[in-house]
Amino acid sequence: MLEITDPAAVRAVLNDPAFVPPPVPPASTGIGWLRATVGRFAGGAVHARRRALQVAVLDGIPPAVLRDGPPAHPVATLARAMGASDVPVDQVREVARAYQPGTGDDTRADVAVEALVRVFGGVHDEATAARIGILVQACDATATLIERARERAVGDVLRDDPPVPATKRQAGPGAALDVEAGTVVRVRLAGDLAFGAGPRRCPGREHALALVDAAAPRAT
């Protein structure tokens, strides 16, 4: 797999719509359904529509609400702000472990996804997937950022030891950097690019940093 670490090249890939996440197969339930229904693994107009659903949810949560809330796991804090205080954090963790294809136990994740679908009303639709996706993508990454920021300034962590160190993209026709169509690249996320860039940049950056602030003390 081609590794891209130069910040300028990383930014070029992340800003190029010809680079998209490797596709995932369709599914009607479980972790396969979640991957196939969130914006994270979609492209084009489908990605834009699904991303807008997540942005709308996050826009309804002022970061200060997360920063000033009672101490809790970041998933519990975020879920409470979403109006879902009964979200089982352990189930979100189970899904997070398998969210990227080939990284976890899909059988266990299937059970966990279905439990989360029931919490959010029992309907397998894009709105439900958007809410679950927000929690899953915030789960391990934010908890890890919090732990690392207890000993170092958060900016230093994001520069030197980011919780999500890289992401994958697959080149389409006309991709930048003369990468052949179909090639999967791994791009480094760090510093100013720790939350990504371009049309797929993380929409929850301010929320994640607010959750870090809520977990004081941390280094300054």
Side-chain angles (χ1 to χ4, degrees):
M1 184 182 301
L2 178 63
E3 299 274 347
I4 298 178
T5 59
D6 175 74
V10 169
R11 194 177 298 277
V13 169
L14 296 178
N15 279 285
D16 186 349
F19 279 98
V20 297
V24 296
S28 58
T29 60
I31 187 66
W33 164 81
L34 183 64
R35 294 182 191 128
T37 314
V38 292
R40 172 69 180 80
F41 302 101
V46 174
H47 166 259
R49 182 182 71 241
R50 293 175 178 176
R51 177 184 171 86
L53 291 172
Q54 290 193 316
V55 169
V57 172
L58 291 169
D59 283 349
I61 305 172
V65 170
L66 306 178
R67 189 178 296 112
D68 299 335
H73 188 281
V75 164
T77 301
L78 191 55
R80 183 172 58 247
M82 292 167 61
S85 58
D86 55 344
V87 164
V89 174
D90 287 348
Q91 302 283 43
V92 177
R93 285 197 191 100
E94 203 67 66
V95 178
R97 293 187 186 109
Y99 193 51
Q100 291 288 339
T103 60
D105 186 331
D106 279 13
T107 300
R108 293 172 65 92
D110 285 343
V111 174
V113 167
E114 293 308 304
L116 294 172
V117 170
R118 289 192 293 272
V119 168
F120 284 106
V123 179
H124 290 78
D125 60 8
E126 289 185 351
T128 299
R131 287 167 170 78
I132 296 173
I134 288 171
L135 297 179
V136 169
Q137 291 178 214
C139 183
D140 292 343
T142 307
T144 299
L145 180 58
I146 287 169
E147 288 307 309
R148 293 175 182 174
R150 293 187 191 280
E151 303 296 330
R152 291 168 284 171
V154 67
D156 292 346
V157 175
L158 294 174
R159 182 191 65 219
D160 301 327
D161 194 18
V164 180
T167 189
K168 293 178 182 178
R169 294 287 187 268
Q170 182 170 305
L177 308 180
D178 295 322
V179 176
E180 184 178 355
T183 301
V184 176
V185 301
R186 187 174 187 268
V187 295
R188 183 171 184 264
L189 302 178
D192 292 343
L193 298 171
F195 288 91
R200 294 178 178 274
R201 67 192 179 282
C202 176
R205 178 183 183 278
E206 296 306 316
H207 297 81
L209 295 178
L211 288 165
V212 173
D213 287 340
R218 64 181 176 91
T220 58

